[in-house]
Amino acid sequence: MKALRRFTVRAHLPERLAALEPLSTNLRWSWHSPTHDLFAAIDPELWTQVRHDPVRILGEVDPGRLDDLAVDPVFLADLDRAAADLDDYLTRPRWYQNQLDRGAPLATGIAYFSMEFGVTEVLPNYSGGLGILAGDHLKAASDLGLPLIGVGLLYRSGYFRQSLTEDGWQAEHYPAHDPQGLPLRLLTESTGDGGPGAPVLVHVAMPGGRILRARVWIAQVGRVPLLLLDSDIAENDPDLRAVTDRLYGGDQDHRIKQEILAGIGGVRAVRAYTRAHGLADPEVFHTNEGHAGFLGLERIRELITSTGLDFDTALAAVRAGTVFTTHTPVPAGIDRFPDDLIRRYFGGNEGEHESTLLPGLAVDRILALGAENEPGVFNMAHMGLSLSQRANGVSKLHGEVSRAMFQSLWPGFDAADVPIGSVTNGVHAPTWAAREWMDLARRLVGPELLEEARGWERLREVDPTELWATRNTLRGRLVTEVRRRIRASWLERGATEAELGWTAEVFDPSVLTVGFARRVPTYKRLTLMLRDPERLKALLLDETRPVQLVVAGKSHPADDGGKALIQQVVRFADQHDVRHRIVFLPDYDMSMAQYLYWGCDVWLNNPLRPLEACGTSGMKSALNGGLNLSIRDGWWDEMFDGDNGWAIPTADGVADEARRDDLEATALYELLERSVLPRFYDRDDTGLPTRWVEMVRHTLESLGPKVLASRMVRDYSVEYYAPAAAAARGLLPDDFSGARELAEYRRRVEAAWPAVQVMEVDSAGLPDTPEIGAALSLRAFVQLGGLTPEDVVVQAVLGRVGPNEDLTDVTAVSMAHSGSDGLGEIFTATTPLPVSGSVGYTVRVLPHHGLLANDAEFGLVAAPYV
Ligand SMILES: *Cc1c(COP(=O)(O)O)cnc(C)c1O
């Protein structure tokens, strides 16, 4: 018989073990190995069965065992130590508090919105890199003491689980998770006397006068609360209960409902949370990818409703405190909705233009925020950019690609001037580094530094023999895991025990191990390694210097092309002559990923450049002393230094895709044969691969400090959150007088701009053949269309000039206002010639105001017509 419905009953803990409850529900256990060990000690066998889930082990352990533990002095000492450690972690001032004490102008509160969060496999609320990045962001924010609140949705089935059919085709399963059995608590209203009140229900209006309701679960990620909205409650109509059923599961209609709930409902959940906890409202809202971007519209509505601001003023106020991060370098990766769908969900009744979902907002104004060149299409990334004063990509290269990709929103500007910066992603060391490395780091650096993940470079000082022993231990652990998983996979594919003796011999703990694991969109090129199957076979089967290869990854359920690629790898790996040296492991997730990052000697990545925005798996490998073998894309483009791994030469620019794949695959094989393998297998008298170990040490030293999520979160704190908070704060006083001023300025500038013109530019001071550094004097006559000289900045722009008169390597110099005549206002500058060769200049006019983050912000520029 199958159960109709499942629910979870929590065990009653003996009084003396009460501390296990907070230790099991605060997800800090997921990156704190002593707490992990404590739960494992309850019942090691059961711990494996419940897949390392503290809440489950407490629910399923025999009550008699708990009574025994309640009088076991060793267990109790460990328990008390873990409880005291958690208490200390949650209360002691951290980096952020120390900065504030020193007077650093940091934000007093940040809300971080994302459609997915990967914190631990116990809470499978993610599909891949974006979600895991968001999880690492929360963990590092907790370690550093940021006053940050995470906001997202709780999916009943999360993303799918993957298995293989007999012939190697991907099969998908959607196990349902009961929130009662997860490490979550409900957000409740405060009753005033400190006790829990009724559960908070967030309401969002739906078309046809219906209401979508959601309860709010809180996952405690160390010091950081993560609010997760859940629509699966009896109060909702059946179809609305399903809004949070799956991650990336439905059609556009389903998706827009999810995004409305995450963005608009998410802000309402934040308000309920701060109200219940007596906290101040966040100053900064961080939109992690466009999906949650509706949050800005809700904050505009709040201001219009509560303070009577007009739309433009509210928009100015909201933009100041919003940070937008874009994660995709391809237009196809961006969420776009037909305008009609936006009208249906936001719009009012026939003939009325005020939004019913967000009263006070005109639907046409909403549509304008997400407009793109193609009429009738609403672009979530464009809205994200319109609603934020600060935006960034996730690696230096991706920042550059994003500036070009969104250039159309800044007509008249060179891509380099588009105001999108970059913060390179990072990974959370205590989550992703094997405990062996954490122990070594703790020994070398000390616990204080490790908490903020500083000092990782000192791992270079580990003795080479110990370092190599650690690598061998971790590779051995991976081999055991590979054998366990390949056997389980074959049983699922219909094999019998009797046929599977060979799986005990799969992989060899002494063979160079290469890992390739990631989602399977086309650009990641899962099958590039199979380009020349015979050559790959020769590498795998080499008698003296073999390679073994572990591959994993999920294809989006709707992507049959991706599934065919997986099948191609599986079929290759199924061949009897190579199956001991290459495996495809189904169901890539965080718990599998850890073994791969710990144990692989080489981490392979061969995307089509520049389609990998950042990539983080290679960073996790590097933290464990894995060497990256990768196309120079995303993070690797900026962090490869020639000695910390290998760069696969890219045939970027070769238009014929098949030829490009051939060239890059050949380069990959050659690197393996000529450089990677010899280094790994060259041993000294004691069996130590000295040159390899040297490379591992260099990797730990050069990449360790840069790939950390704590570095990323510090960058966001200082370069994005702090200025955004200052800007938002600056607009508030005297009933938003700053916001009014900025909105009024914008209206004035936009109205005047068509009449702003550079009438004439003349130069003086140069001899016939000037030398570099010679002074050039420029004078420009500018019509300001009613604006004052203080409303604008006039710049002389100098640089190298190409065959089409394009300026590159430019330097911009502000020109001073020095009077006016019949032709217009006069601006002048004298500047040394910055470069030699063919040099050119122009003059441009930009809006300029102290409350702007960037003079390019409005996308307005005037330059002489050429
Ligand atoms: C880190 C990680 C990813 C992201 O890896 P990329 O290099 O960005 O592809 C995806 N899935 C899991 C389980 C991860 O741990």
Side-chain angles (χ1 to χ4, degrees), residues 252-307:
Q252 283 206 314
D253 190 71
H254 188 69
R255 199 161 164 80
I256 198 169
K257 287 204 278 267
Q258 290 190 332
E259 297 188 2
I260 286 170
L261 184 62
I264 297 170
V267 173
R268 294 176 186 174
V270 169
R271 303 304 184 207
Y273 180 86
T274 53
R275 196 169 58 236
H277 293 79
L279 298 171
D281 286 326
E283 289 183 308
V284 176
F285 284 74
H286 187 170
T287 315
N288 187 45
E289 190 52 296
H291 317 134
F294 293 133
L295 71 92
L297 299 179
E298 164 65 0
R299 287 160 57 227
I300 292 175
R301 183 206 62 81
E302 290 180 329
L303 288 173
I304 291 175
T305 315
S306 65
T307 59

Side-chain angles (χ1 to χ4, degrees), residues 446-466:
E448 291 298 317
L449 291 165
L450 194 65
E451 268 172 3
E452 286 171 21
R454 284 187 191 271
W456 202 260
E457 63 280 4
R458 293 198 50 193
L459 282 171
R460 156 173 249 297
E461 295 160 29
V462 176
D463 170 71
T465 315
E466 186 174 5

Side-chain angles (χ1 to χ4, degrees), residues 121 126-133 136 425 427 432 517-519 521 523-524 587-594 597 603-605 612-620 635:
E121 208 42 58
Y126 70 94
S127 77
L130 180 71
I132 288 170
L133 175 81
D136 281 5
N425 286 342
V427 299
W432 298 110
R518 44 188 52 86
R519 289 177 304 109
Y523 80 83
K524 298 215 185 213
D587 209 24
Y588 181 49
D589 70 358
M590 290 178 80
S591 54
M592 179 204 296
Q594 290 184 318
Y597 304 141
W603 196 253
L604 173 63
N605 192 17
E612 182 92 299
C614 179
T616 49
S617 53
M619 295 177 162
K620 299 173 199 163
W635 76 286

Side-chain angles (χ1 to χ4, degrees), residues 5-334:
R5 205 176 122 63
R6 166 218 291 255
F7 59 99
T8 307
V9 182
R10 290 202 188 175
H12 180 73
L13 288 173
E15 185 63 31
R16 185 63 183 86
L17 302 184
L20 283 174
E21 213 282 327
L23 284 167
S24 70
T25 49
N26 192 314
L27 295 172
R28 191 208 179 211
W29 64 258
S30 68
W31 70 92
H32 189 248
S33 45
T35 310
H36 221 260
D37 295 346
L38 182 75
F39 283 104
I42 292 176
D43 182 339
E45 211 167 299
L46 182 60
W47 181 241
T48 311
Q49 275 169 36
V50 300
R51 294 164 150 247
H52 302 182
D53 182 338
V55 169
R56 271 187 69 194
I57 199 168
L58 292 185
E60 295 184 23
V61 65
D62 179 62
R65 173 68 183 151
L66 290 177
D67 292 336
D68 291 348
L69 290 171
V71 293
D72 176 339
V74 176
F75 186 82
L76 291 177
D78 288 344
L79 172 64
D80 293 345
R81 205 172 308 121
D85 182 83
L86 178 61
D87 191 51
D88 176 66
Y89 177 83
L90 297 177
T91 51
R92 190 156 37 83
R94 327 276 302 187
W95 173 79
Y96 209 80
Q97 286 69 40
N98 296 334
Q99 294 294 308
L100 284 170
D101 282 351
R102 280 183 218 146
L106 298 175
T108 56
I110 303 120
Y112 178 91
F113 283 61
S114 175
M115 287 303 269
E116 41 174 311
F117 285 94
V119 178
T120 149
E121 208 42 58
V122 164
L123 191 62
N125 218 40
Y126 70 94
S127 77
L130 180 71
I132 288 170
L133 175 81
D136 281 5
H137 196 102
L138 300 190
K139 292 170 183 172
S142 170
D143 290 347
L144 294 170
L146 265 70
L148 185 135
I149 302 174
V151 187
L153 301 181
L154 181 74
Y155 304 98
R156 168 116 316 213
S157 299
Y159 202 51
F160 71 93
R161 317 259 18 151
Q162 178 195 50
S163 63
L164 294 174
T165 63
E166 203 269 319
D167 64 348
W169 194 254
Q170 167 176 302
E172 295 114 27
H173 317 269
Y174 292 88
H177 305 286
D178 173 14
Q180 306 281 0
L182 298 174
L184 301 170
R185 65 180 196 275
L186 269 181
L187 174 62
T188 55
E189 302 286 358
S190 149
T191 52
D193 60 8
V200 166
L201 277 194
V202 165
H203 289 207
V204 177
M206 288 281 114
R210 296 205 299 163
I211 294 177
L212 167 62
R213 298 171 182 84
R215 56 185 169 179
V216 182
W217 296 98
I218 306 171
Q220 196 63 40
V221 185
R223 300 165 70 117
V224 167
L226 168 58
L227 312 182
L228 297 169
L229 286 85
D230 170 12
S231 69
D232 188 15
I233 48 175
E235 289 87 341
N236 274 330
D237 293 346
D239 62 318
L240 295 181
R241 284 186 77 151
V243 167
T244 55
D245 56 355
R246 290 176 184 179
L247 177 57
Y248 305 140
D251 56 10
Q252 283 206 314
D253 190 71
H254 188 69
R255 199 161 164 80
I256 198 169
K257 287 204 278 267
Q258 290 190 332
E259 297 188 2
I260 286 170
L261 184 62
I264 297 170
V267 173
R268 294 176 186 174
V270 169
R271 303 304 184 207
Y273 180 86
T274 53
R275 196 169 58 236
H277 293 79
L279 298 171
D281 286 326
E283 289 183 308
V284 176
F285 284 74
H286 187 170
T287 315
N288 187 45
E289 190 52 296
H291 317 134
F294 293 133
L295 71 92
L297 299 179
E298 164 65 0
R299 287 160 57 227
I300 292 175
R301 183 206 62 81
E302 290 180 329
L303 288 173
I304 291 175
T305 315
S306 65
T307 59
L309 295 187
D310 65 277
F311 181 89
D312 291 318
T313 308
L315 173 64
V318 164
R319 279 172 49 85
T322 309
V323 174
F324 172 62
T325 300
T326 171
H327 286 265
T328 171
V330 273
I334 291 174

